[in-house]
Amino acid sequence: MSALFSNYGRRDLQIESGSGSKLTDHAGKSYLDFTSGIGVCNLGHVHPAVTAAVENQLKKVWHTSNLFQSDLQEETAELLVKPTHLNKVFFCNSGAEANEAAIKLARKFTGKTKIITFEQSFHGRTYGAMAATGQDKIKKGFGPMLADFQTVPFNDFDSLIKYADSQTAAVMIEVVQGEGGVIPGNESFLQRVQHHCNDHDILLIIDEVQTGIGRTGKAFAFQHYGLKPDIVTSAKGLGNGFPVGAVLGTEEVSTAFGPGSHGTTFGGNPLAMAAASAVLKEVFSDVFLDEVMKKSAFLIEELQKELSPCTEVLEVRGLGLMAGIEFSHKAAPLIQELQNDGLLALPAGECVLRLLPPLNMSYEELAEGVKKISKAVKKKSILV
Ligand SMILES: Cc1ncc(COP(=O)(O)O)c(C=O)c1O
């Protein structure tokens, strides 16, 4: 019997090692990884620069606490905000924690309590992040929720303005809903949300836990649409597998977090900062991000070409290297079929196959993945 809680529905597969876009299981079978550890290992597994940075830090000091100055935190924060209009960073350890801090910051800064979020959204499993999440199945059995969260339909501006009032502290949104089904926000919707927030003293919080750190071909996904959020949350790809999260904010909102107002023991840990700064030096470059966009165009085009004859494929969509294939049936059997054939992929919602390959996956590997997906879908189309 396992000594672990059974809160994860684990697959019957144990990974032994990884290198680049490949993983190897304990029986020696190799897999092409289109999961990146759920959008985490954006530079692939055991990336040499990140590994060297962590190894170097391992020999110096592991943990010092936030009682002391940290050049490593300062440097990593500067790298993180550099491509944005934001200028302050709070480091934590995960996406949920980053969102939790963002919610606290928005309430404290505005003195207001209401937060508007969206159906199908996912913001994490802590109480604030869970209350913000627009999926009943995530909240089931854990009530009562934290008060004053209102969930409205995504991409529907009229519903949003029905609920936004003088007590609204913030709108919290994913530019592309990840867990909810790889659903991109409409450009005009996102821009109207931004304008409404500006005009009504409502803060805009963008959850970039999944979409950030180059995943969509920009440093952060909000940059595709010229948005100017007050607060951005980040985690997943920030440490390429080393646990680290962050809240980015304007100078103005950051003033609400004065000394003693918020904190965490491990936030900004030297090992996490070594990993994150190595990641940011690689990912936040125009050359790297342009290549992500080229690979994205290649992947989406190849998927559309291969899957267009399949009637059960309803849509191929995405932004950057965050792709979703929506089916008229559940995605789970396909994921198993792909695993058998040496490709690891993810679900998003019930009927969407989600692809989050490492951002530096080669064109050959992307093409090999598309072939495997096409083969599995066509095999399934015989079955369904
Ligand atoms: C958009 C988004 N926000 C928040 C989270 C929660 O992050 P974590 O699991 O690191 O707490 C996730 C995780 O999937 C996510 O996709």
Side-chain angles (χ1 to χ4, degrees):
M1 200 181 72
S2 170
L4 296 170
F5 272 48
S6 49
N7 55 317
Y8 300 110
R10 294 178 196 269
R11 300 188 200 178
D12 187 18
L13 170 64
Q14 180 140 204
I15 303 298
E16 200 67 22
S17 63
S19 174
S21 300
K22 295 268 170 62
L23 289 169
T24 305
D25 73 11
H26 66 308
K29 181 174 169 179
S30 174
Y31 298 84
L32 201 47
D33 185 15
F34 274 72
T35 72
S36 304
I38 323 187
V40 168
C41 302
N42 285 1
L43 289 170
H45 298 280
V46 199
H47 185 272
V50 185
T51 306
V54 173
E55 273 176 355
N56 179 44
Q57 188 58 42
L58 266 173
K59 291 178 214 134
K60 288 189 183 170
V61 67
W62 290 22
H63 181 79
T64 55
S65 89
N66 285 304
L67 291 172
F68 308 110
Q69 304 295 328
S70 167
D71 284 348
L72 247 177
Q73 275 191 29
E74 298 283 353
E75 178 197 293
T76 313
E78 274 173 29
L79 289 168
L80 189 56
V81 294
K82 196 163 175 231
T84 76
H85 61 287
L86 301 163
N87 32 35
K88 291 283 181 182
V89 177
F90 164 76
F91 285 112
C92 54
N93 311 287
S94 69
E97 257 187 79
N99 286 333
E100 206 67 33
I103 291 162
K104 287 178 70 176
L105 183 61
R107 284 187 166 180
K108 190 150 193 281
F109 178 75
T110 61
K112 299 186 280 185
T113 53
K114 270 180 68 170
I115 305 214
I116 296 182
T117 67
F118 296 89
E119 288 173 9
Q120 304 100 230
S121 63
F122 184 77
H123 298 292
R125 304 283 191 158
T126 55
Y127 263 95
M130 176 172 62
T133 292
Q135 299 185 46
D136 289 344
K137 66 173 193 227
I138 303 286
K139 302 176 181 178
K140 204 170 161 214
F142 296 118
M145 290 294 119
L146 188 63
D148 287 355
F149 283 80
Q150 178 68 51
T151 302
V152 301
F154 191 51
N155 280 330
D156 179 350
F157 183 69
D158 292 341
S159 295
L160 173 93
I161 54 172
K162 244 188 256 161
Y163 290 99
D165 61 21
S166 62
Q167 270 314 298
T168 305
V171 170
M172 186 168 187
I173 192 166
E174 294 161 89
V175 169
V176 182
Q177 291 187 326
E179 302 298 312
V182 192
I183 305 167
N186 295 335
E187 180 163 10
S188 67
F189 166 73
L190 293 169
Q191 288 173 348
R192 289 175 84 188
V193 172
Q194 172 79 72
H195 290 138
H196 191 80
C197 287
N198 291 351
D199 294 347
H200 294 83
D201 282 332
I202 296 170
L203 297 180
L204 181 60
I205 305 172
I206 301 198
D207 178 343
E208 295 260 8
V209 168
Q210 192 159 152
T211 50
I213 319 298
R215 174 53 58 190
T216 70
K218 298 266 188 204
F220 295 98
F222 72 79
Q223 295 170 316
H224 286 282
Y225 306 110
L227 306 177
K228 278 189 98 181
D230 303 280
I231 300 170
V232 168
T233 55
S234 176
K236 287 191 181 283
L238 182 53
N240 208 56
F242 208 102
V244 52
V247 178
L248 291 70
T250 60
E251 175 106 42
E252 198 188 356
V253 295
S254 78
T255 57
F257 270 1
S261 56
H262 187 66
T264 159
T265 299
F266 291 125
N269 167 286
L271 296 170
M273 294 298 96
S277 65
V279 167
L280 295 170
K281 283 174 194 159
E282 295 280 325
V283 175
F284 284 5
S285 92
D286 289 343
V287 177
F288 185 93
L289 294 171
D290 287 349
E291 192 57 20
V292 174
M293 287 313 285
K294 284 187 199 139
K295 286 183 175 167
S296 162
F298 175 78
L299 176 66
I300 300 282
E301 215 170 280
E302 289 296 303
L303 285 170
Q304 280 169 341
K305 204 164 65 193
E306 285 285 338
L307 299 178
S308 60
C310 307
T311 51
E312 73 271 37
V313 174
L314 303 181
E315 193 179 21
V316 176
R317 57 180 180 246
L319 190 63
L321 284 173
M322 184 172 180
I325 307 166
E326 184 166 0
F327 292 90
S328 55
H329 55 76
K330 290 188 177 168
L334 196 65
I335 289 169
Q336 183 60 52
E337 182 72 35
L338 287 166
Q339 183 174 312
N340 298 345
D341 194 27
L343 185 142
L344 301 179
L346 295 157
E350 285 224 312
C351 300
V352 176
L353 182 76
R354 181 173 33 150
L355 304 176
L356 299 172
L359 303 178
N360 53 5
M361 183 179 268
S362 70
Y363 286 96
E364 292 72 24
E365 288 168 325
L366 288 169
E368 188 189 336
V370 172
K371 288 274 180 256
K372 283 183 190 288
I373 291 164
S374 167
K375 190 171 120 197
V377 171
K378 284 168 188 162
K379 191 167 170 190
K380 280 287 140 204
S381 63
I382 300 164
L383 302 178
V384 290

